[in-house]
Amino acid sequence: RPEWRGATRVAAFCSMPGEFDTRPLLEAAFAARKRVFLPRVEDVKTRKMSVVEAFSLADVDSFPKSNWNIPEPPRDGPPRADALEVGLDLVVVPGLAFDADGGRLGQGAGFYDAFLDALEKAAAPSPSTIGVGLALQHLPSERDELPDRVPREAHDRVLDVVLGPGGA
């Protein structure tokens, strides 16, 4: 994808159990010498999430697990660049469901919507956004009882591209 090839600063995420496996994506990013940024929840009540630099796969593998059992960059240790300060070229976003128009249903806390809003205000130009999910997470589905769009509220961000395991 051109969004990936042209990106030098990429925000991604460490997968939760049952999510699209981002390990190969992280491996490819580090192998291509891209700067990789990963999220860390700062405050659940205010939906504050920092996205800070990871230095290598070994660094990621050493991250402590969050309350959600997701590896997160530690608050201590070497200083880490903040994505809001350095800007990003590409943001890879998780979700529970996606539609063909770039709609995304997240976990419901709004962390990514708030981060993408803050990033848009802090950076010019805005980065490309790509949602990644398992085939079953993409609507429309072959199951007739499912809708063809995810529900959206005013604060929900629409993504530029949505990809599944096969790349589309």
Side-chain angles (χ1 to χ4, degrees):
R1 298 221 39 108
E3 300 90 351
W4 173 261
R5 283 190 297 278
T8 59
R9 295 164 309 198
V10 176
F13 61 96
C14 294
S15 306
M16 291 175 59
E19 279 186 332
F20 183 91
D21 182 11
T22 57
R23 180 72 180 201
L25 179 112
L26 296 175
E27 290 172 352
F30 286 117
R33 299 186 162 281
K34 295 179 187 294
R35 291 180 71 184
V36 176
F37 295 78
L38 297 171
R40 175 178 65 215
V41 173
E42 301 293 351
D43 188 335
V44 174
K45 290 181 185 171
T46 62
R47 299 176 177 167
K48 172 122 175 69
M49 177 176 82
S50 295
V51 179
V52 297
E53 191 164 13
F55 305 120
S56 65
L57 278 175
D59 184 33
V60 174
D61 290 340
S62 74
F63 288 175
K65 303 269 176 122
S66 71
N67 293 339
W68 295 278
N69 203 32
I70 305 167
E72 287 189 345
R75 287 171 178 75
D76 58 357
R80 296 176 184 273
D82 187 301
L84 292 178
E85 294 173 7
V86 300
L88 295 169
D89 303 307
L90 176 65
V91 181
V92 180
V93 183
L96 296 175
F98 301 93
D99 63 36
D101 298 323
R104 170 187 164 269
L105 181 66
Q107 297 281 350
F111 286 107
Y112 275 90
D113 296 313
F115 171 73
L116 291 172
D117 282 342
L119 186 60
E120 187 174 277
K121 291 173 185 159
S126 293
S128 297
T129 54
I130 296 181
V132 293
L134 302 172
L136 292 174
Q137 295 173 292
H138 292 253
L139 301 175
S141 148
E142 282 136 27
R143 296 172 52 192
D144 291 334
E145 69 272 13
L146 293 177
D148 61 357
R149 279 185 66 147
V150 297
R152 285 192 208 151
E153 296 179 17
H155 68 273
D156 289 332
R157 300 294 304 253
V158 175
L159 305 174
D160 298 318
V161 178
V162 175
L163 299 176

